[in-house]
Amino acid sequence: MPAAALQSHPSVLLPPRLTQKSGMMHLLFLLAVALSCHGCPDRCLCSSQTVKCQNQDLDEIPHSLPNNTKILFVTGNNISRISVDSFPTGLKLLTDLYLSGNEMESVGAMVFDNMPNLVRLDLSNNKIETFSERAIPDDNKLQVLNLSSVLQHGNLSMLKVLDLLFNLINLSLQNSSIISIQNGTLKVPPLRDLDLRDNSLRYMPTTTLAEFSLKPSLHIWLAGNPWRCDCFVEEMLLWLKNSTQVIDMQNLTCADPEALRRQPLLQVESSQLKCVGDMEGVLETSYVFLGLVLALIGVIFLLVLYLNRKGIKRWMYNIRDACRDHMEGYHYRYEINSDPRLANLSINSDV
């Protein structure tokens, strides 16, 4: 009779050896579960394979995270830096990591090495100043990276880490004060979505446009940037009219010059794109600067004169006396030459 049938039959007893074996297997199963999953960290909420440690004023990543965690939220805290010690245990099942709004300033080397299956990483709304190029391992599987409101003063140097993200398809750089996208910055990742909204882009370099064109499946968001509608934006305007990559191209508007302010970029004609105003502004600025320099030189000259007024006065008196003596000598010689008697007297006195 099978063991299951024996257990269900009230009048039949299992052999002691079979009972011990079943109990041992049950204990081993419970032990395996206990070893694979830590308890839920303090001030966090755990549900299934999701852990949420949100708005708890934490100053570090909780260390007692369950090993079977798949989605982790540590947001709205005061974690100024993360390093390799922030995640000491392996989180092999972790696919989604959200670290937004933590006032974070530094991301250290090898910090994500214990997350081999990480697919989504959100570091938005932090103040990251240093981002180690070795923060993300070479064999990463990262596909979605959110760096919105992260780059300080539009500093793109931390984007060197993109060279190692061979699987990245979604990159958000919204509201990061970016002035220009450097050539080659987005060359490696096979991007499909790029969010550049609400930055400080005024022009799009030709090299960047060519780089975008090499990724025909790339979708780009560019609204909220202060585009300067002059002759330098003409190539970008032509690219916009012949490309379907910019999803929100209808929302792109001119920020200046004044005559084109708030006018949709796609409605601007080539004849309206002029650079004369720029040259006038440059010349006006140059004249103002030159005037300030000359005024400063004049003030310094007057100050030197004032500080040396006594010496200058003495020098002028000396020149006056020297000129007077010289003129008296000329006057004396003139009188001698004009009177023959004085001239003869002078000759005789010489003899």
Side-chain angles (χ1 to χ4, degrees):
M1 183 179 294
L6 291 175
Q7 289 179 348
S8 62
H9 200 283
S11 61
V12 180
L13 296 177
L14 290 173
R17 184 176 298 176
L18 185 59
T19 305
Q20 292 176 357
K21 184 176 180 180
S22 177
M24 185 175 295
M25 291 178 63
H26 184 65
L27 289 174
L28 289 175
F29 175 76
L30 293 177
L31 180 61
V33 172
L35 290 175
S36 62
C37 302
H38 295 296
C40 190
D42 293 338
R43 294 188 285 180
C44 298
L45 297 176
C46 300
S47 175
S48 183
Q49 292 180 292
T50 300
V51 179
K52 295 183 178 181
C53 309
Q54 298 173 300
N55 304 314
Q56 296 297 319
D57 200 29
L58 300 174
D59 57 6
E60 64 177 1
I61 303 292
H63 286 181
S64 56
L65 294 170
N67 291 344
N68 67 338
T69 302
K70 189 173 182 179
I71 303 175
L72 175 59
F73 291 87
V74 185
T75 60
N77 294 288
N78 294 310
I79 304 173
S80 61
R81 60 185 299 272
I82 55 174
S83 63
V84 65
D85 298 328
S86 299
F87 300 96
T89 59
L91 298 173
K92 296 182 179 180
L93 300 181
L94 188 68
T95 59
D96 297 54
L97 177 59
Y98 299 90
L99 298 173
S100 62
N102 283 308
E103 303 292 331
M104 193 178 301
E105 298 177 356
S106 174
V107 178
M110 300 184 293
V111 63
F112 303 115
D113 279 10
N114 287 331
M115 309 170 192
N117 293 304
L118 186 64
V119 175
R120 296 176 183 84
L121 176 60
D122 184 359
L123 293 170
S124 61
N125 296 301
N126 284 295
K127 300 178 180 179
I128 298 178
E129 297 179 356
T130 57
F131 196 110
S132 174
E133 296 181 21
R134 299 178 56 200
I136 302 175
D138 296 345
D139 57 346
N140 67 87
K141 298 179 181 178
L142 197 63
Q143 296 182 10
V144 180
L145 178 60
N146 190 348
L147 295 176
S148 299
S149 302
V150 168
L151 304 181
Q152 296 296 302
H153 310 296
N155 181 18
L156 294 177
S157 60
M158 64 177 291
L159 292 185
K160 293 179 180 178
V161 71
L162 296 180
D163 294 340
L164 302 175
L165 305 182
F166 301 102
N167 301 302
L168 190 67
I169 59 176
N170 187 304
L171 175 62
S172 179
L173 297 172
Q174 186 178 0
N175 193 26
S176 295
S177 302
I178 297 175
I179 299 175
S180 176
I181 299 295
Q182 300 173 359
N183 185 28
T185 302
L186 307 173
K187 184 177 181 180
V188 174
L191 289 175
R192 290 207 302 259
D193 297 291
L194 176 61
D195 192 346
L196 292 171
R197 289 175 294 176
D198 302 320
N199 282 287
S200 299
L201 295 171
R202 300 175 71 82
Y203 305 105
M204 195 68 73
T206 305
T207 53
T208 303
L209 297 178
E211 196 171 295
F212 288 160
S213 299
L214 294 176
K215 302 176 184 289
S217 60
L218 175 63
H219 296 156
I220 310 170
W221 285 262
L222 293 173
N225 285 285
W227 303 107
R228 183 170 181 81
C229 297
D230 57 16
C231 59
F232 296 106
V233 82
E234 188 170 2
E235 292 188 10
M236 176 184 169
L237 183 58
L238 182 63
W239 174 75
L240 285 173
K241 292 180 178 180
N242 293 279
S243 174
T244 58
Q245 291 181 282
V246 181
I247 304 301
D248 56 353
M249 66 172 66
Q250 300 295 335
N251 298 327
L252 306 186
T253 58
C254 300
D256 57 315
E258 182 68 28
L260 298 176
R261 183 166 296 176
R262 297 188 182 88
Q263 183 169 338
L265 195 58
L266 292 178
Q267 297 180 10
V268 177
E269 300 295 334
S270 299
S271 58
Q272 297 177 280
L273 302 176
K274 300 179 181 180
C275 292
V276 178
D278 291 344
M279 292 304 297
E280 290 178 352
V282 171
L283 290 175
E284 183 179 352
T285 303
S286 301
Y287 290 146
V288 171
F289 181 74
L290 179 61
L292 291 175
V293 171
L294 293 177
L296 180 61
I297 293 174
V299 170
I300 294 175
F301 180 72
L302 293 176
L303 181 62
V304 171
L305 290 179
Y306 176 77
L307 295 176
N308 294 277
R309 59 188 183 279
K310 293 183 179 180
I312 294 174
K313 188 176 181 180
R314 188 181 307 111
W315 177 72
M316 293 181 65
Y317 285 159
N318 292 336
I319 292 178
R320 185 195 62 183
D321 294 340
C323 291
R324 181 183 297 171
D325 294 341
H326 197 65
M327 292 302 295
E328 287 180 353
Y330 274 115
H331 182 68
Y332 176 73
R333 290 179 183 177
Y334 175 77
E335 290 181 348
I336 292 177
N337 293 333
S338 61
D339 191 345
R341 293 175 299 175
L342 293 176
N344 294 331
L345 180 61
S346 177
I347 294 173
N348 294 331
S349 64
D350 291 338
V351 175

